[in-house]
Amino acid sequence: MKMKKSVLYLLLIVFAIVTLCTSCATIYKDDISSFSQIITVENKTKDELFVSAASWFVDSFKDSKSVLEISDKQSGLLKGKYTTEVAQGLTSMIIESIITVETKDGKVRLTISNPTSIKDSYDYSSSPLTENALNLYEADRIATALSLEQALNSKPTNW
């Protein structure tokens, strides 16, 4: 009787693992498209939007791995590293991408380009993403765009 229970539990575990693995299609970094969002902000100049975007960048990316590398006010360009972590099974994945913010009068374009690296947060080895982790990454990129839009539309405080 104990042997039958052990075999049954083992079969259930194997079934669960196989089911989990087959529902998790693997996606490699080269298969992930860039994300781009144009944000329209009425009545703000390129310079005002640049300053707001630069301030948002510093406030939003406090992780030392997310770094602003190019800040050119004349061309309206901010560019840096974008690092985020998404859950994947029992561990999580660290995804490093390039983030670009371009400003001009009344508009800002945010682009988060294809990942430069995807690493397991446990052992830092390169790994593909599961479909679920990719969905979380997409949601994070959309949340980042919404955060930028809110920062650009916020009224300056009078102190």
Side-chain angles (χ1 to χ4, degrees), residues 40-63:
T40 302
V41 184
E42 303 279 330
N43 303 320
K44 285 200 179 180
T45 66
K46 173 182 159 182
D47 288 344
E48 290 172 320
L49 291 172
F50 179 86
V51 170
S52 294
S55 178
W56 166 82
F57 199 105
V58 171
D59 292 342
S60 297
F61 301 105
K62 296 176 176 119
D63 183 348

Side-chain angles (χ1 to χ4, degrees), residues 21 35 38 42 49 70 87-88 94 109 111 118 135 139 146-149 155 159:
C21 291
F35 172 86
I38 295 176
E42 303 279 330
L49 291 172
I70 298 172
Q88 177 160 293
I94 298 168
R109 179 171 51 194
T111 304
I118 300 173
N135 291 337
L146 290 173
S147 170
L148 175 58
E149 185 173 10
K155 306 258 189 268
W159 53 277

Side-chain angles (χ1 to χ4, degrees), residues 1-135:
M1 185 71 160
K2 281 188 176 185
M3 183 68 158
K4 283 186 178 183
K5 277 188 177 182
S6 297
V7 170
L8 182 61
Y9 286 133
L10 181 62
L11 286 173
L12 283 173
I13 291 171
V14 169
F15 177 75
I17 291 171
V18 168
T19 302
L20 243 164
C21 291
T22 57
S23 67
C24 299
T26 55
I27 300 159
Y28 294 89
K29 67 181 183 175
D30 295 338
D31 298 330
I32 301 172
S33 62
S34 291
F35 172 86
S36 190
Q37 176 89 31
I38 295 176
I39 302 166
T40 302
V41 184
E42 303 279 330
N43 303 320
K44 285 200 179 180
T45 66
K46 173 182 159 182
D47 288 344
E48 290 172 320
L49 291 172
F50 179 86
V51 170
S52 294
S55 178
W56 166 82
F57 199 105
V58 171
D59 292 342
S60 297
F61 301 105
K62 296 176 176 119
D63 183 348
S64 63
K65 294 176 184 169
S66 296
V67 179
L68 182 60
E69 295 180 340
I70 298 172
S71 177
D72 183 354
K73 190 172 185 178
Q74 185 176 2
S75 69
L77 177 67
L78 297 160
K79 193 169 191 171
K81 292 179 184 170
Y82 170 79
T83 303
T84 190
E85 192 168 339
V86 295
Q88 177 160 293
L90 299 176
T91 184
S92 59
M93 302 304 287
I94 298 168
I95 304 172
E96 297 172 355
S97 302
I98 302 297
I99 184 168
T100 305
V101 177
E102 300 163 283
T103 62
K104 65 181 188 178
D105 289 343
K107 290 187 180 183
V108 172
R109 179 171 51 194
L110 168 71
T111 304
I112 301 173
S113 63
N114 296 346
T116 55
S117 158
I118 300 173
K119 298 176 187 167
D120 185 295
S121 63
Y122 176 70
D123 63 8
Y124 298 107
S125 63
S126 286
S127 300
L129 290 176
T130 62
E131 192 170 338
N132 186 49
L134 177 64
N135 291 337

